[in-house]
Amino acid sequence: MAQLLPSWRWYGPQDPIQLLEIKAAGAKGIVTALHQIENGAIWTKAEIQERNKEVSSAGLHWSVVESLPVHEGIKTNNAVASVLLKNYLLSLENLAACGIDTICYNFMPVLDWTRTNLQKPVPGGTTLELRAVELVAFDCFLLEREGAKASYDAELVQAAADYFDTLDAAQRESLAATLLLGLPGSEETYSLEEFRAALSTYDHISAANFRENLFRFLEAVMPRAQELGIKMTIHPDDPPYSVLGLPRIVSTAEDLRAVVKTVDLTANGLCFCTGSLASRADNDLVTLATELAERIHFVHLRNVQRGAHGSFFESGHLQGDADIAGVMKALMTDGTDRSLAYRPDHGFKLLDDQNRTSYPGYSLYGRLRGLAELEGLRHGLAYS
Ligand code: DNO
């Protein structure tokens, strides 16, 4: 039985949530990254060791790196891609030398995870949401992307126009900021102008070209990761469909199968993010977790309630459209006895979280509730 290890994402010393609080919440593993290092630069052994020491002296264990980010230059395969790739491999070598063996990354172009509203009310707090009308309003009326209007249903564009008309200047600015300033963990932030420029680097990159770039990366990295004893885990697209005309290629069951098949090594694994995957109705999570278990090396447990046109909001960890119990059970009964880190992905900004500073989605009490629910479920499943 794979032993699911309760873990918690910590943004390092600048995270307003302390390691002692994380320990008190019941986590054993820490998921963290060296966010102070510029994307594309080498993670040195000294810096890795320093973070590792900090985590272990709190009685916790650095279970996963999230993320060792893949630079846009690799994603677009530009002129400096080979230098960036060399640096990436050196960082992996340094991590392996320090005994860190599970790494999460994504291959989403320009934007990491995307939401349009960070304050949807729920009982006792707020949650994060992506509303299609807001995304379309941003795309058509703030970004004014060429061809944007023609890329959506006319009805949706009209709804977005009507919605946009109701917003005052401050609300428009806040919508743009939500999309452009980056959510925690994103490596880039943009002004509207910079964002248009970043999008234009994909003008000539179709989904097929982009997939070639991903596969080139997998072929360059995975054999070395395998030698180093490192398990790489790609995070699925969030949301799992094309946004703002950008290619997205890690969204569906077929996409995940293609990733693992392309380089058939254990090192070439997946981060199974239930919230991202369940944001499309055609992803059958339990079937996927069962089928791909041996390549799943890291798990994000989060739930969503889906709405129209790809909209969703982050619901309670055990309430929503994703069968969390089914996924946990599939992973716990995968026939192995390995330790498999999972973390409660995001949480409500709940009760006293409203009076504390925390990053969107990365609250203390909201995640503590999520972790408690998931741990209860895990123990119940193990018992039965
Ligand atoms: C959001 C996170 C993502 C994730 C990266 C992995 O909460 O799940 O930012 O860390 O996409 O590279």
Side-chain angles (χ1 to χ4, degrees):
M1 189 165 92
Q3 308 289 333
L4 288 177
L5 177 81
S7 303
W8 184 283
R9 190 175 198 177
W10 182 57
Y11 283 95
Q14 85 277 16
D15 192 323
I17 295 168
Q18 310 294 307
L19 289 171
L20 276 179
E21 293 171 310
I22 298 175
K23 215 175 159 194
K28 305 271 187 287
I30 287 291
V31 174
T32 190
L34 304 183
H35 296 284
Q36 73 275 20
I37 299 182
E38 200 193 336
N39 190 353
I42 299 166
W43 289 24
T44 63
K45 277 187 210 157
E47 283 163 297
I48 299 165
Q49 274 156 355
E50 189 186 326
R51 178 65 56 84
N52 206 4
K53 210 163 120 204
E54 211 168 341
V55 171
S56 52
S57 49
L60 290 156
H61 163 68
W62 187 354
S63 51
V64 180
V65 171
E66 180 174 357
S67 310
L68 181 60
V70 179
H71 194 277
E72 279 295 308
I74 296 180
K75 292 180 182 173
T76 56
N77 192 32
N78 73 10
V80 290
S82 60
V83 177
L84 292 163
L85 205 54
K86 256 187 220 146
N87 288 357
Y88 200 89
L89 290 171
L90 285 174
S91 297
L92 285 184
E93 281 167 19
N94 291 341
L95 283 162
C98 298
I100 315 283
D101 67 0
T102 308
I103 317 287
C104 181
Y105 68 99
N106 74 69
F107 218 84
M108 290 179 247
V110 186
L111 291 170
D112 190 331
W113 59 304
T114 305
R115 300 290 181 272
T116 59
N117 176 17
L118 308 181
Q119 288 183 315
K120 178 185 170 62
V122 291
T126 56
T127 192
L128 311 180
E129 163 175 57
L130 187 149
R131 289 180 62 216
V133 274
E134 289 174 333
L135 188 61
V136 174
F138 169 79
D139 195 5
C140 298
F141 309 117
L142 281 169
L143 186 62
E144 298 177 312
R145 182 172 61 91
E146 206 185 312
K149 287 185 190 155
S151 68
Y152 302 106
D153 284 357
E155 212 179 290
L156 182 56
V157 176
Q158 189 55 53
D162 294 344
Y163 165 76
F164 194 67
D165 281 344
T166 68
L167 301 182
D168 61 26
Q171 288 167 319
R172 289 176 183 181
E173 215 166 279
S174 142
L175 175 61
T178 302
L179 279 139
L180 299 178
L181 294 187
L183 288 165
S186 310
E187 303 299 325
E188 328 284 344
T189 62
Y190 302 95
S191 67
L192 258 183
E193 261 327 297
E194 288 165 346
F195 191 60
R196 287 190 188 104
L199 290 185
S200 74
T201 60
Y202 284 82
D203 281 350
H204 63 288
I205 302 180
S206 66
N209 300 145
F210 193 48
R211 188 169 281 115
E212 282 167 23
N213 294 354
L214 169 61
F215 290 177
R216 187 178 302 111
F217 171 79
L218 299 178
E219 276 152 15
V221 166
M222 297 309 160
R224 184 70 186 125
Q226 184 84 11
E227 282 168 5
L228 293 169
I230 278 191
K231 290 165 286 179
M232 298 294 296
T233 72
I234 191 167
H235 188 285
D237 302 329
D238 181 2
Y241 47 80
S242 164
V243 285
L244 310 172
L246 290 165
R248 294 275 221 184
I249 52 167
V250 192
S251 297
T252 65
E254 275 320 305
D255 292 341
L256 296 182
R257 289 186 186 115
V259 166
V260 298
K261 233 184 276 160
T262 296
V263 178
D264 194 11
L265 293 172
T266 314
N268 180 27
L270 307 170
C271 166
F272 199 79
C273 177
T274 54
S276 303
L277 293 169
S279 301
R280 17 180 344 136
D282 58 355
N283 279 335
D284 176 345
L285 267 57
V286 177
T287 303
L288 268 175
T290 308
E291 176 189 328
L292 300 169
E294 64 170 16
R295 298 291 275 279
I296 295 172
H297 307 314
F298 181 34
V299 188
H300 284 181
L301 294 175
R302 173 165 72 76
N303 218 324
V304 289
Q305 194 162 309
R306 291 186 294 261
H309 303 293
S311 299
F312 61 86
F313 69 89
E314 301 193 2
S315 46
H317 286 78
L318 301 185
Q319 299 87 42
D321 289 317
D323 180 358
I324 300 293
V327 169
M328 277 179 119
K329 185 173 171 193
L331 295 172
M332 288 170 70
T333 54
D334 72 349
T336 69
D337 60 0
R338 64 198 171 126
S339 166
L340 176 58
Y342 88 86
R343 66 176 181 86
D345 193 19
H346 309 170
F348 295 157
K349 193 163 185 186
L350 195 66
L351 303 174
D352 200 45
D353 286 330
Q354 302 288 340
N355 305 315
R356 300 170 52 114
T357 314
S358 59
Y359 300 127
Y362 290 92
S363 56
L364 175 58
Y365 296 106
R367 278 190 293 168
L368 190 152
R369 171 177 157 185
L371 183 62
E373 290 179 344
L374 293 166
E375 279 295 279
L377 176 56
R378 179 174 74 82
H379 282 286
L381 286 167
Y383 183 77
S384 68

